Amino acid sequence: NLQELDSKIFSPYYPYPPDDRRFAIGMQFGNLLTTFVHTTHFRSPEIGGEGPIATLSSSSELPIYRVVLWRNNPYHIFSGYVEANITN
């Protein structure tokens, strides 16, 4: 419900990319700040013969998306990426 969503400290929004790309600009909402992130969906269609997107997790059963945390964003304490997977 709306009250439960409003009480959350962190809320991500990772939109599905348009047909001609495999990534989209997502947003992460916190209590006091909002940041933009680069989001890649593993289920996005292949474009230009690029092949499937590879996951780096060795325990991934079904990869969902990868979120790149930009180094130049002062609100990301760590830089790198996060992958969301269904694991075995």
Side-chain angles (χ1 to χ4, degrees):
N1 67 27
L2 189 56
Q3 290 175 334
E4 186 176 342
L5 288 175
D6 287 342
S7 70
K8 299 294 182 192
I9 294 173
F10 175 77
S11 180
Y13 173 67
Y14 305 136
Y16 200 76
D19 293 338
D20 61 339
R21 289 192 317 225
R22 295 178 129 180
F23 63 91
I25 300 300
M27 298 179 80
Q28 295 179 339
F29 304 95
N31 279 349
L32 299 174
L33 57 101
T34 300
T35 59
F36 293 100
V37 293
H38 180 279
T39 306
T40 302
H41 288 259
F42 285 98
R43 294 288 188 198
S44 59
E46 291 185 21
I47 299 169
E50 293 176 348
I53 301 170
T55 182
L56 300 176
S57 173
S58 61
S59 64
S60 174
E61 192 73 28
L62 177 65
I64 308 296
Y65 48 72
R66 178 183 300 139
V67 178
V68 178
L69 306 176
W70 288 318
R71 180 175 52 93
N72 63 351
N73 187 330
Y75 296 108
H76 283 137
I77 297 170
F78 301 104
S79 60
Y81 67 92
V82 176
E83 285 185 353
N85 302 307
I86 296 174
T87 59
N88 52 16

